[in-house]
């Protein structure tokens, strides 16, 4: 008994730890804003009078965080804390919003005042309690002279919050049309479907909240809530009144009333409020015509987001508020749907999931299996543990589906990598000795060695009735997942009779579960090309990350630390042969290009706009496939996701940096999007070459364009790439900024790396590059060293200390056809004379030769090659 009691205490403590560490807040804080001493704070108590259903006054503790600018009005944002938290829990977020130009109001919701002096009780975000409190806070903001008003009593206001704070934000937007934008994070659509999914009580999580997450236990809750919990906890079943109470605190039934643009952020490791909750809300808002974006981020109630996840949430939230609260209506809010793939590669889409209709998936295994429900429902399978979501996957891998209590079927080894986005269905026939059954359906990823992974610890419970005697056919709705199944792995579906997190039947029973033929399993699977194994994708296209974070067209290849085949070091880093790219309309962007870049060269790829430079670089990076020919890097043919791409750093067309983060935070976000730490990034080396100094700790929004380009180059250099490919790194810069980037490129060249840089600024290439290749209309028209391209017109420019004497000497020199003075130097037409003879004659005559160079500039050569007049 003592052991069991200790275990229950540990479970509660683990969950409370997650709640108290702020993982449910928005994560908006950034370096600089979170500690800005110039942000003013005002502590206030807002009194909310009682109403007809909830008498008694409530006193809400609030803190206002005010921007530095006191001369103008500002939009406001109400930051609502998570369950068990106070206004202090979201202080960092609120301060960051104030530093960004918002008036931020943080508050402690009723029932969570540490001194229990607020006079209220927890009512689960009910409309007549917590939502009414929120509406009074909006009234309070409307009375402030420094808040932007859209009309009398109508402040321009956004709502943000995580979990419990996200729920009140959704309900507040539904019941108060003054709300202008909301960002609810890891919250619910329906408390009924969240706590009673499939009519099965989520007992473990509920116990954490009612017995451990508040100091007063159930006494901290409104009586109606406490009575409902106690009744369900004792019986495992909900009455009609219980369900009505949960529905009253659910945004789902009110979603048609939400008009405020909504960014929904949900955790992929969250068994309390799974992905299906956010998808239900998003579908309802889309049907309603409300602007809605959806983001699924690795982490949630069962696992921390981590620094990279928090940074993504921070950037998404800031851009959303800026766009819809009018601070920056031109800012991009990114794609409609973005998600974190389980292989480390971000995904984006222009529509909500499912992105593909479900298709039938063949299964093998027993046609029929007998499974039992043990007395008391114990021992039980383990899918997840509140506050320790990773344990679910470990438990499944160690066999925590109890023998005799589950049936499973699986696919043959997958021939291609497949991604599951959404929920599938499993059709079975079920009969029970008691006429009823509770089943838990799940999808597992089985590696070739037999080890298993339970994505997100997710299961889909269902309570069945009318399955006595011969039983009946059942369609089981599987969990909503975002998971990549690597080629060679199998997809397993399992049906268990118990789960540690739920209250199942306590009476022993036996169930017969039979797989229905042919169309038993359907899943919304998408094939991913060039992807094998967990996290072993060598290529991460930064354009996906940039689009997902709404920051522009910046592409960078992510270097993994352990790709299987990195190529050879005794061959040229780049060999392009017969490369071509054609499109459906017949346009040929690249036409038979051949190019070799040797180790240590700094090669400038020149050409007018539309010459095919960027298309060539995209094929070199494996981002698009060629129509003909091939690219070989370090001796290996390039395809999408080829491991050899791990040796390449690339950025294309301009930096896509997050303006609200510092330079260093941008670099950390980029690197840790596919790595657990900054180890192996060589970030200090990259920053030293980029030369940003202390500016790396400032928000990027304060950078000049030249500094942004330098930071982008540093980002491409993370991990010490052997080949650096830069597309138009000086595009859009003024002369001083161009000089900054030129110095960075020279510093890179000094390290011995191979660099391929495309540009249309010829003077920059001439001053920076050792070799040049010129493209025109998709074809390669010339290539060689800079000196070779400049040395073919028989004219040299000679700088001397005595022009008069030099003129006399050279005009007498045999073979020289003409000598003229030009801007402090002599231009000599050699005729049949060599450069060496010219220098020798001058030196012999006592004239000091200060310099000899080709008269032609690279611009002259370029125009000649393109057939234009110089």
């Amino acid at each position: 008994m003592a052991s069991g009691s200790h275990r229950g205490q540990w479970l509660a403590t683990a969950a409370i730890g997650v709640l108290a560490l702020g993982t449910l807040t928005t994560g908006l804080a950034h370096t600089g804003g979170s500690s800005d001493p110039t942000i003013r704070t005002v502590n206030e108590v807002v009194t909310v009078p009682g109403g007809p259903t909830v008498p008694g006054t409530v006193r809400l503790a609030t803190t206002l965080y005010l921007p530095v600018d006191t001369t103008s009005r500002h939009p406001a944002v109400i930051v609502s804390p998570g369950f068990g938290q106070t206004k202090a829990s979201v202080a960092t977020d609120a301060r960051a919003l104030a530093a960004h130009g918002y008036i931020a109001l943080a508050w402690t919701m009723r029932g969570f005042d540490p001194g229990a002096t607020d006079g209220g009780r927890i009512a689960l975000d009910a409309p007549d309690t917590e939502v009414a409190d929120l509406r009074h806070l909006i009234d309070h903001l409307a009375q402030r002279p420094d808040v932007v008003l859209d009309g009398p009593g109508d402040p321009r206001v956004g709502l943000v919050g995580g979990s419990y704070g996200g729920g009140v934000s959704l309900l507040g937007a539904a019941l108060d049309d003054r709300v202008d934008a909301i960002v609810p994070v890891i919250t619910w659509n329906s408390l009924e479907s969240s706590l009673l999914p499939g009519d099965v009580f989520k007992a473990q999580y509920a116990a954490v909240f009612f017995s451990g997450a508040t100091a007063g236990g159930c006494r901290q809750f409104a009586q109606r809530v406490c009575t409902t919990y106690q009744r369900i906890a004792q019986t495992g079943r909900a009455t009609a009144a219980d369900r009505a109470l949960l529905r009253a605190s659910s945004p789902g039934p009110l979603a048609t009333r939400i008009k405020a643009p909504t960014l929904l952020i949900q955790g992929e490791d969250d068994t309390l409020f799974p992905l299906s909750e956010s998808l239900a809300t998003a579908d309802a808002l889309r049907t309603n015509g409300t602007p809605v974006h959806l983001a699924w981020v690795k982490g949630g109630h069962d696992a921390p987001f981590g620094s990279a996840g928090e940074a993504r949430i921070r950037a998404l939230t800031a851009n959303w508020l800026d766009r819809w609260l009018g601070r920056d209506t031109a800012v991009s809010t990114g794609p409609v749907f973005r998600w974190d793939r389980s292989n480390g590669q971000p995904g984006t889409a222009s529509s909500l999931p499912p992105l593909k209709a479900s298709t039938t998936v063949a299964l093998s295994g027993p046609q029929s299996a007998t499974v039992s429900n043990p007395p008391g429902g114990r021992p039980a399978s383990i899918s997840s543990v509140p506050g320790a979501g990773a344990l679910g996957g470990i438990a499944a891998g160690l066999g925590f589906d109890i023998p005799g209590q589950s049936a499973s079927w699986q696919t043959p080894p997958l021939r291609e990598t497949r991604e599951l986005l959404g929920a599938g269905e499993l059709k079975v026939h079920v009969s029970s000795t008691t006429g009823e059954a509770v089943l838990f359906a799940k999808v597992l990823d089985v590696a070739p060695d037999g080890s298993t992974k339970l994505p997100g610890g997710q299961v889909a419970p269902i309570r069945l009735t009318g399955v006595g005697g011969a039983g009946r056919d059942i369609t089981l709705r599987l969990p909503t997942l975002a998971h990549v199944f690597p080629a060679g792995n199998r997809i397993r579906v399992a049906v268990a009779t118990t789960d540690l997190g739920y209250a199942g039947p306590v009476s022993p029973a036996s169930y017969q579960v039979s797989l229905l033929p042919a169309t038993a399993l359907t899943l919304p699977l998408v094939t991913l090309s060039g992807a094998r194994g967990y996290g072993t994708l060598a290529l991460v296209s930064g354009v996906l990350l940039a689009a997902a974070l709404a920051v522009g067209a910046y592409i960078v290849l992510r270097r993994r630390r352990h790709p299987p085949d990195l190529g050879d070091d005794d061959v040229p880093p780049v060999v392009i042969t017969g490369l071509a790219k054609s499109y459906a309309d017949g346009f040929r962007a690249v036409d038979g290009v051949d190019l070799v870049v040797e180790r240590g060269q700094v090669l400038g790829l020149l050409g007018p706009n539309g010459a095919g430079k960027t298309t060539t670089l995209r094929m070199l990076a494996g981002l698009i496939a060629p129509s003909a020919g091939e690219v070989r890097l370090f001796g290996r043919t390039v395809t999408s996701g080829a491991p050899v791409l791990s040796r390449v750093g690339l950025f294309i067309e301009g930096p896509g940096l997050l303006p609200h983060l510092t330079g260093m935070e941008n670099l950390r976000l980029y690197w840790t999007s596919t790595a657990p730490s900054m180890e192996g990034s060589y970030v200090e080396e990259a920053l030293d070459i980029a030369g940003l100094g202390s500016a790396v700790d400032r928000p990027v929004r304060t950078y000049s364009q030249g500094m942004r380009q330098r930071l982008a180059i540093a980002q491409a250099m993370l991990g010490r790439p052997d080949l650096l490919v830069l597309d138009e790194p000086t595009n859009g810069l003024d002369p001083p900024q161009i000089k900054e980037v030129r110095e960075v490129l020279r510093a890179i060249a000094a390290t011995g790396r191979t660099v391929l840089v495309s540009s249309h600024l010829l003077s920059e290439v001439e001053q920076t590059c050792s070799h040049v290749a010129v493209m025109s209309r998709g074809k390669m028209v010339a290539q060689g060293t800079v000196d070779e391209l400049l040395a073919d017109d028989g004219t040299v420019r000679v700088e001397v200390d005595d022009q008069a004497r030099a003129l006399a000497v050279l005009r007498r020199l045999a073979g020289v056809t003409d000598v003229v003075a030009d801007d402090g130097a002599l231009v000599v037409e050699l005729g049949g004379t060599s450069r060496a003879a010219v220098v020798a004659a001058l030196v012999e005559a006592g004239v000091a030769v200060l310099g000899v160079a080709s008269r032609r500039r690279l611009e002259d050569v370029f125009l000649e090659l393109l057939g234009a007049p110089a």
Side-chain angles (χ1 to χ4, degrees), residues 624-673:
I624 58 175
S627 305
E630 71 169 356
V631 177
R632 297 181 71 85
L633 300 181
F634 302 97
R636 299 297 182 266
T637 300
V638 170
T639 58
S640 177
V644 73
L645 289 167
S646 65
R647 301 181 67 174
V648 180
L650 168 83
F651 93 81
I652 290 183
E653 291 181 348
L657 304 167
L658 302 177
H660 314 294
L661 303 186
T662 67
M664 181 60 79
E665 286 174 331
N666 270 278
L667 297 181
R668 286 199 190 102
L669 170 61
Y670 161 67
W671 185 259
T672 58
S673 65

Side-chain angles (χ1 to χ4, degrees), residues 33 152 157 236 363 431 461 485 502 558 588 636 640 657 699 730 737 740 745 750 793:
V157 62
L363 291 174
S431 62
F485 296 87
Y502 294 82
R558 191 72 166 86
R588 199 167 180 84
R636 299 297 182 266
S640 177
L657 304 167
T730 57
Q737 293 167 343
E740 292 177 12
L745 294 179
D793 72 340

Side-chain angles (χ1 to χ4, degrees), residues 262-277:
T262 303
L263 169 62
L264 296 164
I265 301 176
Q266 207 74 359
E268 295 174 0
D269 299 291
D270 200 319
T271 57
L272 176 59
F273 302 132
L275 297 176
S276 54
E277 291 297 303

